[in-house]
Amino acid sequence: MVDEAYGKTLITQSLFNFPSIHVCDAKVIGQIMQARTIEKTIIYDFMTPWLGTGLIVSTGSKWTQRRKIITPAFHFKILEDFLVIMNHQSDVLIEKLKTSANGTDCNIYNHVTYCALDIIAESAMSVS
């Protein structure tokens, strides 16, 4: 494993020679998640034309404000209500994969994409 050879925190060089940190220590991850300042890499600048300046791309107080707004939507009890939908759509996915499973390789990308879309549509908009 990586942490056995290099430790629980690893700094590498990523796109455009920028340093990138990889953390596997739960305590350090907790500290990072509680940080008040979030700085994004240059890679996020490429996403801005498509995503705007929403939660994924924003930083600082804008990120904190939007994160506080969205956090309650992912509370465990709320997500628990969607388990029936997720389980049903997973069963549908399995049935579709069974028809494709004939001993040869198959591309499951479309099946998984449609499954995710079905789960989101039914959970968020009550549309099957």
Side-chain angles (χ1 to χ4, degrees):
M1 291 187 63
V2 173
D3 65 330
E4 291 172 359
Y6 301 105
K8 292 190 177 280
T9 303
L10 180 64
I11 299 174
T12 62
Q13 289 181 314
S14 61
L15 189 63
F16 302 115
N17 226 15
F18 282 95
S20 177
I21 187 167
H22 305 270
V23 180
C24 297
D25 186 331
K27 289 180 182 178
V28 176
I29 292 171
Q31 291 171 338
I32 292 169
M33 296 304 291
Q34 292 177 3
R36 293 278 182 212
T37 57
I38 304 272
E39 294 297 325
K40 307 288 175 118
T41 66
I42 193 170
I43 296 168
Y44 287 87
D45 293 339
F46 292 110
M47 291 190 272
T48 303
W50 295 288
L51 300 177
T53 56
L55 179 64
I56 294 173
V57 180
S58 63
T59 60
S61 62
K62 189 177 195 178
W63 180 86
T64 304
Q65 176 192 21
R66 291 177 180 198
R67 178 74 175 133
K68 282 182 183 179
I69 291 169
I70 199 169
T71 297
F74 293 98
H75 187 273
F76 181 73
K77 280 294 191 188
I78 292 172
L79 293 178
E80 203 172 64
D81 295 339
F82 299 127
L83 277 179
V84 172
I85 295 167
M86 291 181 202
N87 287 336
H88 170 72
Q89 293 300 337
S90 297
D91 291 340
V92 171
L93 173 64
I94 290 169
E95 291 304 314
K96 288 180 181 178
L97 291 177
K98 281 181 183 177
T99 62
S100 298
N102 56 8
T104 61
D105 292 344
C106 68
N107 185 350
I108 64 168
Y109 179 82
N110 285 337
H111 294 298
V112 173
T113 302
Y114 289 133
C115 178
L117 180 61
D118 289 341
I119 291 170
I120 292 167
E122 196 167 344
S123 300
M125 299 173 272
S126 300
V127 175
S128 296

